[in-house]
Amino acid sequence: MRILISGASIAGPVLAYWLTRHGFSVTVVERAPALRKTGGHAVDLFRPAMNISQQMGLIARVEERATGTNRMTIHQEGARRPVRVNLSKIFNATSDRHLEIMRDDLSEIYYDATRDHVEYLFGDSITAISPDGEVQFERATPRRFNIVVGADGLHSNVRRLIFGEEPRFGAFIGAYFGVLTLPHAFGLDGELLMHVGVGRTAGMYGARHLDEARALLLFRSEHELDYHHHDVPRQKELLRGAFDGMHPEVDRWLDELDRTPAFYFDSITQVRMDTWSRGRVTLVGDAGYCPGPAVGGSTSLAVVGAYVLAGELARAGGDHQRAFPAYEHAMAGHVRGSHAAALSAAKTLIPASRLGVRGLAQGARLISALPARPRRALLRLASKSARLHNAMTLDDYSPSLPASAGRSDLAGC
Ligand SMILES: Cc1cc2nc3c(=O)[nH]c(=O)nc-3n(C[C@H](O)[C@H](O)[C@H](O)COP(=O)(O)OP(=O)(O)OC[C@H]3O[C@@H](n4cnc5c(N)ncnc54)[C@H](O)[C@@H]3O)c2cc1C
Protein backbone atom coordinates (compact mmCIF):
# COMPACT_ATOMS: atom_id res chain seq x y z
CA MET A 1 0.00 0.00 0.00
CA ARG A 2 1.50 3.35 -1.09
CA ILE A 3 0.96 6.54 0.86
CA LEU A 4 1.94 10.03 -0.27
CA ILE A 5 2.59 12.78 2.29
CA SER A 6 2.88 16.44 1.30
CA GLY A 7 5.25 18.34 3.65
CA ALA A 8 8.53 17.38 5.35
CA SER A 9 8.60 19.53 8.49
CA ILE A 10 7.20 17.99 11.72
CA ALA A 11 3.94 16.13 11.03
CA GLY A 12 5.18 14.74 7.67
CA PRO A 13 8.34 12.93 8.86
CA VAL A 14 6.69 11.71 12.11
CA LEU A 15 3.82 10.27 10.10
CA ALA A 16 6.28 8.75 7.61
CA TYR A 17 8.22 7.15 10.46
CA TRP A 18 5.21 5.46 12.03
CA LEU A 19 3.69 4.42 8.69
CA THR A 20 6.89 2.65 7.67
CA ARG A 21 7.08 1.02 11.11
CA HIS A 22 3.55 -0.28 10.43
CA GLY A 23 4.69 -1.66 7.07
CA PHE A 24 3.37 0.95 4.61
CA SER A 25 5.39 2.26 1.68
CA VAL A 26 5.78 6.04 1.96
CA THR A 27 6.73 8.92 -0.34
CA VAL A 28 7.06 12.49 0.99
CA VAL A 29 6.94 15.47 -1.37
CA GLU A 30 8.37 18.75 -0.02
CA ARG A 31 8.16 22.08 -1.81
CA ALA A 32 11.46 23.39 -0.41
CA PRO A 33 14.51 22.34 -2.43
CA ALA A 34 16.14 20.80 0.67
CA LEU A 35 15.50 20.38 4.35
CA ARG A 36 15.75 23.76 6.08
CA LYS A 37 18.58 23.85 8.58
CA THR A 38 18.48 27.45 9.67
CA GLY A 39 16.93 26.81 13.07
CA GLY A 40 13.56 28.43 12.42
CA HIS A 41 11.78 29.44 15.61
CA ALA A 42 11.55 27.79 19.02
CA VAL A 43 8.71 25.30 19.50
CA ASP A 44 7.46 23.30 22.48
CA LEU A 45 7.34 19.57 22.95
CA PHE A 46 5.01 18.55 25.75
CA ARG A 47 4.80 15.17 27.41
CA PRO A 48 2.87 13.15 24.78
CA ALA A 49 5.12 14.38 21.96
CA MET A 50 8.22 13.73 24.09
CA ASN A 51 7.01 10.21 24.77
CA ILE A 52 6.34 9.60 21.07
CA SER A 53 9.85 10.87 20.29
CA GLN A 54 11.18 8.49 22.91
CA GLN A 55 9.36 5.58 21.30
CA MET A 56 11.04 6.61 18.05
CA GLY A 57 14.42 6.28 19.80
CA LEU A 58 15.13 9.98 19.34
CA ILE A 59 14.91 11.47 22.79
CA ALA A 60 18.66 11.80 23.33
CA ARG A 61 19.06 13.79 20.10
CA VAL A 62 16.03 15.92 20.93
CA GLU A 63 17.36 16.72 24.40
CA GLU A 64 20.80 17.48 23.03
CA ARG A 65 19.27 20.11 20.74
CA ALA A 66 17.09 21.81 23.39
CA THR A 67 17.42 25.60 23.20
CA GLY A 68 18.60 25.79 26.81
CA THR A 69 16.51 28.90 27.53
CA ASN A 70 16.16 29.00 31.31
CA ARG A 71 15.80 32.66 32.31
CA MET A 72 13.42 35.42 31.29
CA THR A 73 13.62 39.18 31.78
CA ILE A 74 10.36 41.05 31.26
CA HIS A 75 10.33 44.79 30.64
CA GLN A 76 6.88 46.32 31.03
CA GLU A 77 6.37 49.28 28.75
CA GLY A 78 6.56 52.44 30.81
CA ALA A 79 7.91 50.72 33.95
CA ARG A 80 11.45 51.39 35.13
CA ARG A 81 12.46 48.04 36.58
CA PRO A 82 12.44 44.78 34.68
CA VAL A 83 11.10 41.60 36.23
CA ARG A 84 13.46 38.61 36.29
CA VAL A 85 12.04 35.15 36.15
CA ASN A 86 13.49 31.67 36.49
CA LEU A 87 11.96 29.98 33.44
CA SER A 88 13.23 26.51 34.33
CA LYS A 89 11.21 26.62 37.53
CA ILE A 90 8.09 27.57 35.57
CA PHE A 91 8.64 24.86 32.96
CA ASN A 92 9.34 22.23 35.59
CA ALA A 93 6.20 23.13 37.47
CA THR A 94 3.93 23.16 34.40
CA SER A 95 5.17 19.87 33.09
CA ASP A 96 7.32 16.99 34.21
CA ARG A 97 8.27 16.62 30.56
CA HIS A 98 8.62 19.75 28.48
CA LEU A 99 11.34 20.84 26.15
CA GLU A 100 11.92 23.80 23.84
CA ILE A 101 13.73 23.17 20.58
CA MET A 102 14.15 25.02 17.27
CA ARG A 103 11.65 23.74 14.74
CA ASP A 104 14.21 23.04 12.03
CA ASP A 105 16.38 21.04 14.44
CA LEU A 106 13.38 18.92 15.35
CA SER A 107 12.45 18.50 11.72
CA GLU A 108 15.98 17.35 10.88
CA ILE A 109 15.94 14.79 13.70
CA TYR A 110 12.65 13.32 12.47
CA TYR A 111 13.83 13.40 8.86
CA ASP A 112 17.09 11.60 9.70
CA ALA A 113 15.06 8.86 11.39
CA THR A 114 13.12 8.23 8.15
CA ARG A 115 15.47 9.04 5.27
CA ASP A 116 16.63 5.43 4.74
CA HIS A 117 13.12 3.99 4.54
CA VAL A 118 11.11 6.77 2.94
CA GLU A 119 11.29 8.26 -0.54
CA TYR A 120 11.68 12.05 -0.31
CA LEU A 121 10.97 14.27 -3.33
CA PHE A 122 12.33 17.75 -2.57
CA GLY A 123 11.60 20.79 -4.69
CA ASP A 124 8.22 19.55 -5.88
CA SER A 125 4.54 20.02 -5.15
CA ILE A 126 1.23 18.31 -5.89
CA THR A 127 -0.91 20.00 -8.55
CA ALA A 128 -3.90 17.63 -8.68
CA ILE A 129 -5.30 14.58 -6.86
CA SER A 130 -8.01 12.57 -8.59
CA PRO A 131 -10.57 10.53 -6.59
CA ASP A 132 -8.89 7.26 -7.66
CA GLY A 133 -5.54 8.39 -6.19
CA GLU A 134 -3.80 9.55 -9.37
CA VAL A 135 -1.51 12.42 -8.33
CA GLN A 136 0.00 15.07 -10.61
CA PHE A 137 3.14 16.94 -9.59
CA GLU A 138 4.79 20.14 -10.75
CA ARG A 139 7.91 18.19 -11.74
CA ALA A 140 7.66 14.44 -11.13
CA THR A 141 5.65 12.26 -13.47
CA PRO A 142 2.11 11.38 -12.32
CA ARG A 143 1.76 8.44 -9.94
CA ARG A 144 -1.02 6.57 -8.20
CA PHE A 145 -1.27 6.33 -4.40
CA ASN A 146 -3.77 4.57 -2.14
CA ILE A 147 -3.80 7.47 0.32
CA VAL A 148 -2.64 11.10 0.22
CA VAL A 149 -1.98 13.13 3.40
CA GLY A 150 -1.54 16.89 3.58
CA ALA A 151 1.10 17.69 6.23
CA ASP A 152 1.90 20.94 4.48
CA GLY A 153 1.20 23.44 7.21
CA LEU A 154 -1.06 26.39 7.89
CA HIS A 155 -1.29 27.35 4.22
CA SER A 156 -1.77 23.76 3.07
CA ASN A 157 -1.72 23.03 -0.64
CA VAL A 158 -3.53 19.70 -0.23
CA ARG A 159 -6.30 21.39 1.78
CA ARG A 160 -6.76 23.95 -1.00
CA LEU A 161 -6.86 21.29 -3.71
CA ILE A 162 -9.39 19.07 -1.92
CA PHE A 163 -11.44 21.34 0.34
CA GLY A 164 -11.16 24.78 -1.25
CA GLU A 165 -9.56 28.14 -0.63
CA GLU A 166 -7.98 29.00 2.72
CA PRO A 167 -10.27 31.81 3.94
CA ARG A 168 -13.08 29.26 4.38
CA PHE A 169 -11.13 27.51 7.14
CA GLY A 170 -8.90 30.19 8.65
CA ALA A 171 -10.22 31.95 11.76
CA PHE A 172 -8.25 35.12 12.48
CA ILE A 173 -7.82 35.48 16.25
CA GLY A 174 -7.02 39.18 16.28
CA ALA A 175 -3.22 39.22 16.22
CA TYR A 176 -0.18 39.19 13.94
CA PHE A 177 3.39 38.15 14.43
CA GLY A 178 6.76 38.56 12.78
CA VAL A 179 10.00 36.64 13.27
CA LEU A 180 13.42 37.88 12.27
CA THR A 181 16.90 36.47 12.59
CA LEU A 182 19.41 38.70 14.36
CA PRO A 183 23.21 38.49 14.34
CA HIS A 184 25.02 36.61 17.07
CA ALA A 185 25.90 39.87 18.79
CA PHE A 186 22.29 40.03 20.01
CA GLY A 187 22.39 36.44 21.28
CA LEU A 188 21.63 35.77 24.90
CA ASP A 189 23.01 32.85 26.76
CA GLY A 190 19.94 30.96 27.92
CA GLU A 191 17.87 34.13 28.38
CA LEU A 192 14.57 35.17 26.86
CA LEU A 193 14.26 38.94 26.81
CA MET A 194 10.74 40.34 26.61
CA HIS A 195 9.16 43.76 26.22
CA VAL A 196 5.45 43.79 26.95
CA GLY A 197 3.07 46.66 26.30
CA VAL A 198 -0.64 47.06 25.73
CA GLY A 199 -1.44 45.13 22.56
CA ARG A 200 2.19 44.34 21.72
CA THR A 201 4.86 41.92 22.91
CA ALA A 202 8.41 41.62 21.60
CA GLY A 203 10.77 38.82 22.59
CA MET A 204 14.32 37.85 21.73
CA TYR A 205 16.09 34.56 22.39
CA GLY A 206 18.93 32.39 21.15
CA ALA A 207 19.76 28.72 21.35
CA ARG A 208 22.96 27.41 22.86
CA HIS A 209 24.19 25.81 19.60
CA LEU A 210 23.08 28.56 17.19
CA ASP A 211 25.15 31.44 15.85
CA GLU A 212 22.11 33.70 15.59
CA ALA A 213 19.31 35.05 17.75
CA ARG A 214 15.59 35.36 16.94
CA ALA A 215 13.21 38.21 17.61
CA LEU A 216 9.50 37.35 17.82
CA LEU A 217 7.12 40.31 17.61
CA LEU A 218 3.42 39.84 18.35
CA PHE A 219 0.75 42.54 18.14
CA ARG A 220 -3.00 42.80 18.37
CA SER A 221 -5.16 44.05 15.55
CA GLU A 222 -8.94 44.08 15.76
CA HIS A 223 -9.25 43.87 11.98
CA GLU A 224 -7.39 41.94 9.35
CA LEU A 225 -4.66 44.12 7.84
CA ASP A 226 -4.34 44.95 4.21
CA TYR A 227 -1.20 43.35 2.75
CA HIS A 228 -0.23 40.66 0.26
CA HIS A 229 1.58 37.61 1.66
CA HIS A 230 4.41 38.12 -0.86
CA ASP A 231 4.75 41.85 -0.08
CA VAL A 232 7.63 41.68 2.43
CA PRO A 233 8.37 45.47 2.48
CA ARG A 234 4.75 46.14 3.45
CA GLN A 235 4.90 43.47 6.18
CA LYS A 236 8.05 45.05 7.61
CA GLU A 237 6.36 48.45 7.51
CA LEU A 238 3.41 47.03 9.48
CA LEU A 239 5.78 45.64 12.12
CA ARG A 240 7.67 48.92 12.42
CA GLY A 241 4.37 50.76 12.84
CA ALA A 242 3.09 48.35 15.48
CA PHE A 243 6.27 48.58 17.62
CA ASP A 244 7.06 52.22 17.07
CA GLY A 245 8.43 53.86 20.23
CA MET A 246 8.22 50.77 22.42
CA HIS A 247 11.83 50.70 23.68
CA PRO A 248 15.31 51.52 22.28
CA GLU A 249 16.19 47.83 22.46
CA VAL A 250 13.20 46.88 20.33
CA ASP A 251 14.19 49.69 17.94
CA ARG A 252 17.58 47.99 17.54
CA TRP A 253 15.90 44.71 16.66
CA LEU A 254 13.70 46.53 14.17
CA ASP A 255 16.78 48.17 12.64
CA GLU A 256 17.81 44.65 11.58
CA LEU A 257 14.65 44.28 9.48
CA ASP A 258 16.43 45.46 6.34
CA ARG A 259 19.38 43.14 6.89
CA THR A 260 17.81 40.03 8.35
CA PRO A 261 18.54 36.86 6.33
CA ALA A 262 15.25 35.30 7.43
CA PHE A 263 11.93 37.04 7.93
CA TYR A 264 8.47 35.64 8.52
CA PHE A 265 5.19 37.51 8.97
CA ASP A 266 1.70 36.11 9.32
CA SER A 267 -1.62 36.52 11.04
CA ILE A 268 -2.33 34.31 14.03
CA THR A 269 -4.99 32.16 12.51
CA GLN A 270 -6.63 28.94 13.61
CA VAL A 271 -7.57 26.28 11.09
CA ARG A 272 -11.14 25.21 11.89
CA MET A 273 -12.67 22.43 9.79
CA ASP A 274 -15.65 20.12 10.39
CA THR A 275 -13.69 17.23 8.90
CA TRP A 276 -10.09 16.80 7.78
CA SER A 277 -10.75 13.91 5.41
CA ARG A 278 -12.36 13.51 2.02
CA GLY A 279 -12.17 10.32 -0.03
CA ARG A 280 -8.64 8.94 0.18
CA VAL A 281 -7.16 12.26 1.33
CA THR A 282 -6.72 13.53 4.89
CA LEU A 283 -4.83 16.30 6.71
CA VAL A 284 -2.49 16.22 9.70
CA GLY A 285 -0.86 18.87 11.89
CA ASP A 286 -1.23 22.57 11.11
CA ALA A 287 -2.78 21.76 7.71
CA GLY A 288 -5.87 20.31 9.39
CA TYR A 289 -6.17 21.93 12.79
CA CYS A 290 -3.51 24.55 13.57
CA PRO A 291 -4.44 26.16 16.92
CA GLY A 292 -2.46 29.27 15.94
CA PRO A 293 1.27 29.72 15.34
CA ALA A 294 3.36 31.25 18.12
CA VAL A 295 0.72 30.84 20.81
CA GLY A 296 1.91 27.39 21.79
CA GLY A 297 1.03 23.75 21.47
CA SER A 298 0.68 23.27 17.73
CA THR A 299 3.94 21.34 17.31
CA SER A 300 3.01 18.83 19.98
CA LEU A 301 -0.42 18.51 18.41
CA ALA A 302 1.18 17.84 15.00
CA VAL A 303 3.36 15.05 16.48
CA VAL A 304 0.40 13.51 18.29
CA GLY A 305 -1.82 13.76 15.18
CA ALA A 306 0.79 12.04 13.00
CA TYR A 307 1.23 9.21 15.51
CA VAL A 308 -2.53 8.67 15.85
CA LEU A 309 -3.19 8.78 12.09
CA ALA A 310 -0.49 6.18 11.38
CA GLY A 311 -1.81 4.01 14.20
CA GLU A 312 -5.42 4.15 13.01
CA LEU A 313 -4.36 3.33 9.44
CA ALA A 314 -2.47 0.30 10.76
CA ARG A 315 -5.41 -0.84 12.87
CA ALA A 316 -7.72 -0.59 9.87
CA GLY A 317 -5.27 -2.51 7.67
CA GLY A 318 -4.93 0.56 5.44
CA ASP A 319 -8.70 0.94 4.91
CA HIS A 320 -9.02 4.72 4.91
CA GLN A 321 -12.81 4.58 5.16
CA ARG A 322 -12.45 3.10 8.64
CA ALA A 323 -9.17 4.74 9.63
CA PHE A 324 -9.99 8.40 8.87
CA PRO A 325 -13.16 8.61 11.03
CA ALA A 326 -11.29 6.83 13.86
CA TYR A 327 -8.39 9.29 13.53
CA GLU A 328 -10.74 12.27 13.59
CA HIS A 329 -12.61 10.85 16.56
CA ALA A 330 -9.38 10.25 18.50
CA MET A 331 -8.07 13.76 17.78
CA ALA A 332 -11.29 15.82 18.07
CA GLY A 333 -11.05 16.48 21.81
CA HIS A 334 -7.34 17.33 21.67
CA VAL A 335 -7.93 19.75 18.81
CA ARG A 336 -10.88 21.46 20.52
CA GLY A 337 -8.87 21.83 23.72
CA SER A 338 -5.81 23.15 21.90
CA HIS A 339 -7.86 25.75 20.06
CA ALA A 340 -9.39 27.01 23.31
CA ALA A 341 -6.01 27.02 25.08
CA ALA A 342 -4.36 28.95 22.24
CA LEU A 343 -7.00 31.68 22.47
CA SER A 344 -6.36 32.13 26.16
CA ALA A 345 -2.56 31.97 25.65
CA ALA A 346 -2.81 34.74 23.04
CA LYS A 347 -4.77 36.92 25.51
CA THR A 348 -2.12 36.45 28.18
CA LEU A 349 0.88 36.84 25.88
CA ILE A 350 -0.39 39.99 24.16
CA PRO A 351 -2.25 41.80 26.95
CA ALA A 352 -5.09 44.12 25.96
CA SER A 353 -4.74 46.44 28.99
CA ARG A 354 -2.19 47.85 31.44
CA LEU A 355 -3.61 45.51 34.02
CA GLY A 356 -2.89 42.59 31.71
CA VAL A 357 0.71 43.78 31.19
CA ARG A 358 1.29 43.95 34.94
CA GLY A 359 -0.50 40.66 35.46
CA LEU A 360 1.81 38.89 33.00
CA ALA A 361 5.01 40.28 34.51
CA GLN A 362 4.07 40.05 38.18
CA GLY A 363 2.37 36.68 37.75
CA ALA A 364 5.52 35.21 36.20
CA ARG A 365 7.66 36.68 38.97
CA LEU A 366 5.38 35.42 41.72
CA ILE A 367 5.25 31.93 40.28
CA SER A 368 8.99 31.62 39.85
CA ALA A 369 9.58 32.93 43.39
CA LEU A 370 7.25 30.45 45.12
CA PRO A 371 8.48 27.22 46.68
CA ALA A 372 8.00 24.14 44.48
CA ARG A 373 4.68 22.82 45.77
CA PRO A 374 2.57 26.01 45.74
CA ARG A 375 4.24 26.97 42.46
CA ARG A 376 3.04 23.74 40.88
CA ALA A 377 -0.44 24.19 42.30
CA LEU A 378 -0.72 27.78 41.07
CA LEU A 379 0.58 26.96 37.62
CA ARG A 380 -1.75 24.03 37.19
CA LEU A 381 -4.58 26.50 37.80
CA ALA A 382 -3.13 29.30 35.68
CA SER A 383 -1.63 27.51 32.72
CA LYS A 384 -4.48 25.97 30.79
CA SER A 385 -2.34 25.38 27.73
CA ALA A 386 0.48 23.40 29.36
CA ARG A 387 -1.99 21.45 31.47
CA LEU A 388 -3.95 20.45 28.41
CA HIS A 389 -0.96 19.52 26.28
CA ASN A 390 0.53 17.40 29.02
CA ALA A 391 -2.69 15.63 29.87
CA MET A 392 -3.54 14.25 26.42
CA THR A 393 -4.01 10.50 26.69
CA LEU A 394 -3.44 8.40 23.60
CA ASP A 395 -3.95 4.82 22.64
CA ASP A 396 -0.75 2.85 22.28
CA TYR A 397 -0.31 2.09 18.60
CA SER A 398 3.16 0.56 18.92
CA PRO A 399 3.58 -1.97 16.11
CA SER A 400 4.71 -4.68 18.53
CA LEU A 401 1.50 -4.50 20.56
CA PRO A 402 -1.78 -6.17 19.51
CA ALA A 403 -4.34 -3.81 17.98
CA SER A 404 -6.63 -4.18 20.99
CA ALA A 405 -4.07 -2.74 23.44
CA GLY A 406 -5.66 -0.31 25.85
CA ARG A 407 -4.83 3.26 26.82
CA SER A 408 -1.12 3.74 26.99
CA ASP A 409 1.26 5.39 29.36
CA LEU A 410 2.36 7.49 26.40
CA ALA A 411 0.69 10.49 27.88
CA GLY A 412 -0.78 9.32 31.08
CA CYS A 413 2.44 8.61 32.93
C1 LIG B 1 6.99 32.11 14.26
C2 LIG B 1 6.38 30.85 14.74
C3 LIG B 1 6.46 30.56 16.08
C4 LIG B 1 5.94 29.37 16.53
N1 LIG B 1 6.03 29.09 17.85
C5 LIG B 1 5.56 27.91 18.31
C6 LIG B 1 5.68 27.57 19.69
O1 LIG B 1 6.18 28.33 20.51
N2 LIG B 1 5.23 26.36 20.09
C7 LIG B 1 4.67 25.47 19.21
O2 LIG B 1 4.32 24.37 19.61
N3 LIG B 1 4.53 25.78 17.91
C8 LIG B 1 4.95 26.98 17.43
N4 LIG B 1 4.79 27.30 16.12
C9 LIG B 1 4.08 26.39 15.23
C10 LIG B 1 4.91 25.27 14.69
O3 LIG B 1 5.96 25.74 13.90
C11 LIG B 1 3.99 24.38 13.86
O4 LIG B 1 2.85 24.06 14.61
C12 LIG B 1 4.61 23.07 13.50
O5 LIG B 1 5.79 23.30 12.77
C13 LIG B 1 3.58 22.28 12.65
O6 LIG B 1 4.20 21.33 11.91
P1 LIG B 1 3.56 20.86 10.52
O7 LIG B 1 4.48 19.80 10.05
O8 LIG B 1 2.11 20.56 10.67
O9 LIG B 1 3.60 22.13 9.56
P2 LIG B 1 4.83 23.06 9.16
O10 LIG B 1 5.91 23.03 10.15
O11 LIG B 1 4.24 24.37 8.77
O12 LIG B 1 5.40 22.36 7.83
C14 LIG B 1 4.76 22.33 6.61
C15 LIG B 1 5.73 21.79 5.58
O13 LIG B 1 5.05 21.67 4.33
C16 LIG B 1 5.86 22.23 3.32
N5 LIG B 1 4.99 22.67 2.24
C17 LIG B 1 4.24 23.78 2.16
N6 LIG B 1 3.59 23.84 0.99
C18 LIG B 1 3.93 22.71 0.31
C19 LIG B 1 3.58 22.20 -0.96
N7 LIG B 1 2.79 22.88 -1.79
N8 LIG B 1 4.10 21.02 -1.34
C20 LIG B 1 4.96 20.32 -0.52
N9 LIG B 1 5.33 20.79 0.70
C21 LIG B 1 4.82 21.96 1.10
C22 LIG B 1 6.60 23.36 4.00
O14 LIG B 1 7.76 23.74 3.28
C23 LIG B 1 6.92 22.72 5.33
O15 LIG B 1 8.11 21.97 5.27
C24 LIG B 1 5.28 28.49 15.63
C25 LIG B 1 5.18 28.80 14.28
C26 LIG B 1 5.73 29.98 13.83
C27 LIG B 1 5.62 30.29 12.36
Side-chain angles (χ1 to χ4, degrees), residues 44-54 110 299-300 303-304:
D44 303 288
L45 283 187
F46 292 100
R47 186 179 354 170
M50 290 286 282
N51 291 351
I52 291 167
S53 304
Q54 180 155 15
Y110 291 146
T299 304
S300 275
V303 172
V304 166

Side-chain angles (χ1 to χ4, degrees), residues 307-370:
Y307 172 79
V308 171
L309 174 57
E312 291 297 346
L313 276 164
R315 277 188 181 172
D319 177 357
H320 63 269
Q321 291 181 340
R322 283 197 290 134
F324 289 173
Y327 158 59
E328 296 203 5
H329 179 73
M331 290 300 295
H334 303 321
V335 169
R336 260 197 315 276
S338 299
H339 281 194
L343 293 179
S344 88
K347 277 190 192 144
T348 309
L349 256 181
I350 325 167
S353 62
R354 286 230 53 84
L355 202 64
V357 173
R358 288 198 55 189
L360 173 64
Q362 301 305 335
R365 176 161 64 185
L366 172 70
I367 286 169
S368 84
L370 283 172

Side-chain angles (χ1 to χ4, degrees), residues 5-58:
I5 301 168
S6 171
S9 173
I10 305 298
V14 174
L15 178 63
Y17 173 91
W18 286 103
L19 287 174
T20 51
R21 283 274 309 265
H22 291 300
F24 296 100
S25 163
V26 181
T27 298
V28 179
V29 57
E30 164 60 51
R31 185 185 52 186
L35 205 68
R36 286 170 301 193
K37 294 193 178 177
T38 51
H41 47 269
V43 299
D44 303 288
L45 283 187
F46 292 100
R47 186 179 354 170
M50 290 286 282
N51 291 351
I52 291 167
S53 304
Q54 180 155 15
Q55 283 208 345
M56 295 166 75
L58 302 174

Side-chain angles (χ1 to χ4, degrees), residues 68 238 240 281 310 332 410:
L238 288 169
R240 283 195 180 96
V281 180
L410 257 177

Side-chain angles (χ1 to χ4, degrees), residues 13 24 32 62 86-88 99 131 137 140 156 183 194 224 247 261 287 295-296 309 316 349 372 388 397-398 404:
F24 296 100
V62 167
N86 184 330
L87 260 189
S88 309
L99 179 143
F137 297 92
S156 168
M194 281 179 76
E224 293 198 56
H247 191 275
V295 284
L309 174 57
L349 256 181
L388 177 119
Y397 298 99
S398 307
S404 59

Side-chain angles (χ1 to χ4, degrees), residues 5-13 28-36 40-46 98 100-101 103-104 106-107 121-127 138 150-158 160-161 177-180 205 215-218 264-266 284-303 349 389:
I5 301 168
S6 171
S9 173
I10 305 298
V28 179
V29 57
E30 164 60 51
R31 185 185 52 186
L35 205 68
R36 286 170 301 193
H41 47 269
V43 299
D44 303 288
L45 283 187
F46 292 100
H98 167 273
E100 188 188 70
I101 184 169
R103 182 186 64 172
D104 295 354
L106 186 62
S107 172
L121 306 173
F122 282 100
D124 210 344
S125 177
I126 299 170
T127 54
E138 276 175 9
D152 42 8
L154 186 57
H155 305 295
S156 168
N157 178 47
V158 171
R160 184 180 55 77
L161 290 171
F177 70 100
V179 188
L180 57 147
Y205 58 90
L216 173 65
L217 301 133
L218 303 128
Y264 187 88
F265 183 87
D266 212 338
V284 67
D286 278 8
Y289 33 80
C290 178
V295 284
S298 41
T299 304
S300 275
L301 194 64
V303 172
L349 256 181
H389 289 293

